[in-house]
Amino acid sequence: MIDVKTLEIDEEMLLRANSDIATRSTTGAFIYLLIWFAITISHKFYSAEPTIFIFFTSAFVLLAMARVALIRNFEKIYHRNVLLWKTCFFPAVWGAAFLWGVLCYMALVDPRLEALTLSVVISTAGLTAGGVTALLPDRLLTIGLFTAFLLPAEFTLFHTEFREFSVNILFLVYWVGMYSITRIQHEEYWVGLKHMFLIKKHAQELEQLNTLDGLTGLKNRSFFDETLRKEMKSGVRKQSQLSLMLIDIDYFKEVNDRYGHLAGDECLRKLAVVLKEQVQRETDTVARYGGEEFAVILPADDRKQAIVVAKQIRKAVEEIDCRWGKDRVFFTVSIGVASIIPQLGDIQEKLIALADQALYQAKAGGRNQVRGLLD
């Protein structure tokens, strides 16, 4: 069983963690301003000390705007340069916290803010706890945050008219407590995130296995049907050509009768290898259609391009060195190619029927050949 704690952190996990930070910090962009208004308006501080009120209000507004701009452009900035994101975002977060920390210091030592002292100190504790919880995916960010909140209050030690050591000790203890709690929460977050990605990875692997043919390793019939349906819709929307190739092994029953079904299975596997080698575009789909029949979906290819690929496949199959015991099992394929520009209302069976008709012509014409049809 995998130990999640030892699981390596990859780029996708880091992206998710930083995305979480950006999302969680949206509220934090405005919370300082809202609490500041709630405190000052209730005490009519805006009229008693307009200069201080305007300064802090303006600073909180500017920092909130900067933070919102960074959050809205997270993906653009992060994908361009991770270091640039941290260089811009971290100071914006720390800056707002430090500004509130300075406000807390002033509320403790400046008589002009005496009426706000209790509200500001309580708010400092609440903002610190809420902020570190929201930003705990990044340990450095959280340590910087609660340090910015709590450090300015320690400077009251140097203020001759205010030397309440109990307050300094209280803030210091709170800092130690935040450090300890956030370390645990940080570890729990990453364990949870790793669990989530591990489950996601296993689900993707299971889904991948469910789309594969067990014998050949190619995509199975269900995947083929779903992919062709999607490509038909895409062709309607883009009005682009869509080609389908049906491939059938000639006289496959005779191969099974002469050498046995295990030899027939080996032929199917060898043919699958050839198809993978000849059809390499990521947009193309190679699937086992059923029995000894295979299918290739070629989006954005016209009939001529598809026939070129089909002829390359036919020739490569002739050269397959399939050994069964001391014998070489020689086999060929017949290929039918059909191309259409899908129209609204067209169904995938229409393209399959055309390719099947072309395949019938290839077999009727003597096998080991390629035939193509246009809609």
Side-chain angles (χ1 to χ4, degrees):
M1 188 172 179
I2 295 175
D3 183 359
V4 178
K5 290 186 177 181
T6 62
L7 192 67
E8 281 192 24
I9 296 173
D10 58 21
E11 291 298 323
E12 191 177 0
M13 287 186 195
L14 288 172
L15 173 60
R16 174 56 188 269
N18 280 279
S19 178
D20 281 349
I21 290 171
T23 303
R24 292 171 173 211
S25 67
T26 303
T27 303
F30 303 101
I31 195 68
Y32 302 97
L33 198 59
L34 294 175
I35 295 176
W36 171 243
F37 280 146
I39 293 172
T40 54
I41 290 174
S42 63
H43 290 87
K44 296 184 179 180
F45 187 75
Y46 54 88
S47 59
E49 296 293 340
T51 303
I52 298 176
F53 175 78
I54 292 171
F55 170 80
F56 279 99
T57 300
S58 301
F60 285 133
V61 167
L62 290 173
L63 286 167
M65 290 172 61
R67 197 155 155 184
V68 169
L70 287 168
I71 293 169
R72 288 172 63 92
N73 293 281
F74 164 73
E75 289 192 8
K76 186 187 297 183
I77 299 172
Y78 188 88
H79 287 298
R80 181 179 296 176
N81 191 315
V82 176
L83 183 59
L84 176 63
W85 161 254
K86 291 188 175 184
T87 303
C88 295
F89 184 73
F90 282 28
V93 172
W94 293 335
F98 184 74
L99 184 65
W100 191 274
V102 171
L103 177 63
C104 183
Y105 165 78
M106 290 180 63
L108 290 169
V109 301
D110 194 329
R112 291 174 298 175
L113 281 78
E114 186 177 357
L116 312 182
T117 301
L118 181 61
S119 298
V120 170
V121 170
I122 292 173
S123 298
T124 302
L127 286 169
T128 302
V132 297
T133 300
L135 305 176
L136 58 86
D138 193 294
R139 188 88 169 100
L140 175 63
L141 184 59
T142 54
I143 292 173
L145 182 76
F146 61 72
T147 301
F149 270 124
L150 304 176
L151 181 63
E154 294 299 320
F155 283 90
T156 56
L157 282 170
F158 306 104
H159 200 278
T160 55
E161 296 180 9
F162 181 91
R163 283 186 176 173
E164 289 288 341
F165 294 109
S166 59
V167 172
N168 299 113
I169 294 171
L170 179 65
F171 274 81
L172 181 60
V173 169
Y174 195 52
W175 188 96
V176 173
M178 285 292 101
Y179 184 90
S180 177
I181 291 170
T182 55
R183 180 183 61 80
I184 297 169
Q185 290 180 334
H186 174 76
E187 290 177 358
E188 288 176 349
Y189 171 86
W190 278 101
V191 168
L193 187 65
K194 289 176 180 180
H195 268 296
M196 186 188 75
F197 271 81
L198 196 59
I199 292 170
K200 180 182 175 183
K201 181 182 177 182
H202 287 167
Q204 289 173 339
E205 289 174 351
L206 183 60
E207 184 181 356
Q208 179 71 10
L209 287 173
N210 287 336
T211 64
L212 295 179
D213 173 64
L215 177 64
T216 63
L218 299 176
K219 296 298 184 181
N220 58 24
R221 176 64 184 272
S222 298
F223 185 88
F224 165 82
D225 289 338
E226 180 63 18
T227 302
L228 185 58
R229 184 185 64 81
K230 290 178 181 177
E231 293 297 347
M232 288 286 287
K233 285 186 176 181
S234 177
V236 172
R237 187 174 64 253
K238 298 176 182 177
Q239 279 299 283
S240 59
Q241 199 93 15
L242 176 62
S243 294
L244 174 65
M245 192 187 302
L246 289 182
I247 305 162
D248 190 72
I249 298 178
D250 298 324
Y251 304 112
F252 189 65
K253 184 177 182 301
E254 294 181 10
V255 173
N256 282 329
D257 290 343
R258 182 175 179 182
Y259 299 101
H261 288 282
L262 292 178
D265 289 348
E266 184 62 19
C267 292
L268 293 174
R269 282 191 286 265
K270 292 285 188 180
L271 175 55
V273 172
V274 168
L275 292 176
K276 288 178 183 178
E277 291 173 349
Q278 297 297 322
V279 184
Q280 294 187 346
R281 292 192 314 182
E282 291 185 2
T283 53
D284 298 338
T285 300
V286 183
R288 187 180 181 190
Y289 191 70
E292 69 272 20
E293 200 165 20
F294 295 79
V296 180
I297 303 172
L298 301 159
D301 267 8
D302 59 27
R303 185 174 65 96
K304 289 183 179 179
Q305 292 171 316
I307 286 177
V308 169
V309 177
K311 287 181 176 179
Q312 291 172 348
I313 291 172
R314 187 205 64 79
K315 184 178 179 182
V317 171
E318 283 186 330
E319 299 171 358
I320 289 177
D321 185 16
C322 183
R323 299 285 174 176
W324 193 251
K326 295 180 179 180
D327 297 325
R328 179 190 176 191
V329 183
F330 178 80
F331 64 95
T332 60
V333 293
S334 297
I335 304 176
V337 179
S339 299
I340 64 171
I341 298 177
Q343 302 301 314
L344 195 62
D346 283 350
I347 57 176
Q348 60 200 61
E349 285 76 14
K350 176 180 180 179
L351 183 56
I352 293 172
L354 283 171
D356 198 44
Q357 186 180 343
L359 177 60
Y360 175 80
Q361 291 180 4
K363 285 188 171 292
R367 291 180 168 78
N368 192 23
Q369 57 185 272
V370 176
R371 292 292 176 89
L373 287 177
L374 278 172
D375 180 22

